[in-house]
Amino acid sequence: MPTVHPLLDRVLADPAGLSWALLWREVGPEVELLVGDVRDVDLLADIPTATAATPVLAMVPFRQITERGFDAHDDGTPLRVLVATQTERIPLDLLLGILPSDPVEVTGERFSVTDEAYAEIVTSVIEDEIGNGEGANFVIRRDVVAHTDTAPASAALTWFRTLLTDERGTYWTFAVHTPGHTLVGATPERHVSVRDGRVQMNPISGTFRHPRDGADVEGAFREFIADTKETEELFMVVDEEMKMMAQVCSTGGRITGPYLKQMAHLTHTEYLLDGRSTADPRDVLRQTMFAPTVTGSPMENACAVIRRHEPDGRGYYSGVLALFEREPGNGAPVGPEALDAPILIRAAHLDDAGEVRVSAGATLVRHSDPTSEVAETTAKASGMLAALGLRPRREPSHTPVLRDLPGVADALEARNESLAAFWLSPQGARPDPDLAGRSVLVIDAEDRWTQMLAHQVRHVGMTAEVRRWDTVQVEDVLEPDLVLFGPGPGDPDDPSDARLAQLRQLMAARLEAARPLLAVCLSHQVLSRLAGLKITKLERPNQGVQLAVDLWGTPARIGFYNTFVARPGTARLTRGGTDVALEVAAHAEHGVVGLRGPGIASIQGHAESVLSRDGLVTLHALIRHALRPVPSPAGADA
């Protein structure tokens, strides 16, 4: 029977005859229907501009991360754009009564990687990648692959209805049909949104698998809230997304939370990151490809690790749907272009041959258990597989509202007590009169921690420029008031790493010129090596760990992300032709955590990290030390 929604009637009458998208978004009570023309483009910059009448929906595949210069399998998945020529809004209740509900037969279910093989991959990543300093965490996926003889567009409509009725806690529930590529899913996670200059990201991490009926849900959830791995995993992805926020937002970004994201089968913890930017939404999207919750950190190395350990491309998994639209704004008929982009997880991809693919990944950290990570990939796929009829459906009411359990809100809030107040509060600049206006060159050693460092440097009144190591020449490090050598992955003694050779050359030039320098993490290790200290690998990597350290009589709680460490000993360098001794700050278990001398300062930990409760104070003190006038032997300033 026809409805008052003629566009919907056309889609239901011939689902495969049009290109369309059905979107239920957290921001509104209705389901949006977009129908329009499809085109494939090469770059995010090529995505057409939305108008008031023509919103634009982009299906962004993971391989698009090559726009940032990062590695990825080229599986040919297109950057596909649906330019809406017609739109319609449909009340949810009405839509549920109209969408098809007859079961869709799905057969031949199998994992692309067996449980045993995936457990071996987990072990290899922990030992060979995290254990050798390649990064803090990595997300490796595997797929559930099956087949249906039902036309993709028709199957998507049915599964979309099931997700709307069965799932909860989603950011978007969606079905998108285009020739050759159909997506349907219910994702809990916003990647990035831009509206009226406000940028928001919602990293989620930690996965609580809801016990079956009759199990002790409250007891199991309390164990989850207290679990160190789950907590550290969330802090690590917050740190990684704050690197992105610091790059795209002039005010860096503020953290609020943690919150709970409760779904039908799983519950996650999440934070909200919030900042301001004047950048075009496409630039914001490009600079934030893609979420560390589905890739790892540091981002560049995570992409290389994914390519090494995943046998083929990810398609649209871990990419985003990106909706560009315009709304009335501040009295004007049409406001600036807005972006809303959820992460493509908890979704099924269908092709014209009838293949159905559901991808899921586990976040691997230093103390991951292979058996548990195997189970996590299965659990993350369970909501979508239930919609496909491959797992038992679960009524949302079977699990209580976990945030309402006694003590849960207090336990979540307690997590912030040890975090950096700087990132949890509004970040108005507080210039130091002695530092205001002085220049800092921040050298990026392939980890965007440098963006957070630059933001904190600007907070104290200095001007900061961030440049990647391979764009910096010797003459570039001679002029700035301070050169801050940044963090990066890898073994500081690796003789084949051109990046390390360049860092050593630049440090040597800065020292020879007797100009102030500050080194962080990997660069601290490089400086320590130049000073004659031995570098060894920790038995257990420090990845996302807060440590209490003593920095020359000042106690501080600092976040650490390191696999290698300098060992205490006599530390000496030649600076401006003069041999100088360095003061060593050491930790009984974790080696040299800081060095300082005339015009020289370094730290093993990350003062810029969300985990560094005393980070800004520590960084400020190190900068002041490095810039303190250094008397020459004759009494003049060096």
Side-chain angles (χ1 to χ4, degrees), residues 44-103:
L44 294 178
D46 299 330
I47 296 172
T49 301
T51 70
T54 58
V56 175
L57 180 68
M59 300 161 56
V60 185
F62 180 74
R63 76 182 185 103
Q64 210 64 32
I65 205 165
T66 56
E67 279 199 50
R68 293 186 65 186
F70 299 166
D71 205 4
H73 289 293
D74 187 358
D75 57 12
T77 306
L79 170 52
R80 177 152 292 183
V81 176
L82 173 64
V83 180
T85 55
Q86 295 176 281
T87 65
E88 208 166 65
R89 291 181 178 270
I90 307 125
L92 177 60
D93 290 344
L94 184 149
L95 185 66
L96 291 175
I98 297 173
L99 288 174
S101 58
D102 291 339

Side-chain angles (χ1 to χ4, degrees), residues 38 57 102 123 179 201 207 286 328 352 385 427 436 513 546 558 623:
V38 167
L57 180 68
D102 291 339
T123 300
M201 302 180 78
T207 302
R286 183 174 57 83
D352 284 346
L385 295 177
Q427 297 158 19
Q546 186 189 76
I558 301 294
I623 291 171

Side-chain angles (χ1 to χ4, degrees), residues 216-237:
D216 180 11
V217 175
E218 183 171 345
F221 186 67
R222 291 188 185 284
E223 289 182 11
F224 164 77
I225 288 292
D227 186 87
T228 300
K229 173 191 176 293
E230 303 291 356
T231 303
E232 290 181 354
E233 185 179 307
L234 179 59
F235 289 155
M236 281 190 275
V237 297

Side-chain angles (χ1 to χ4, degrees), residues 394-463:
R394 181 179 295 186
E395 293 295 330
S397 60
H398 284 171
T399 303
V401 179
L402 298 174
R403 67 173 178 269
D404 293 341
L405 295 176
V408 166
D410 290 341
L412 290 170
E413 182 61 29
R415 291 186 176 189
N416 291 343
E417 293 175 1
S418 63
L419 301 185
F422 176 78
W423 299 111
L424 294 167
S425 308
Q427 297 158 19
R430 299 183 63 182
D432 178 340
D434 294 334
L435 302 179
R438 304 188 74 171
S439 61
V440 185
L441 172 61
V442 184
I443 298 179
D444 186 335
E446 297 183 11
D447 196 328
R448 296 296 177 89
W449 285 114
T450 46
Q451 298 297 333
M452 295 172 73
L453 282 164
H455 181 61
Q456 290 193 323
V457 162
R458 296 179 185 117
H459 177 78
V460 298
M462 306 180 78
T463 63

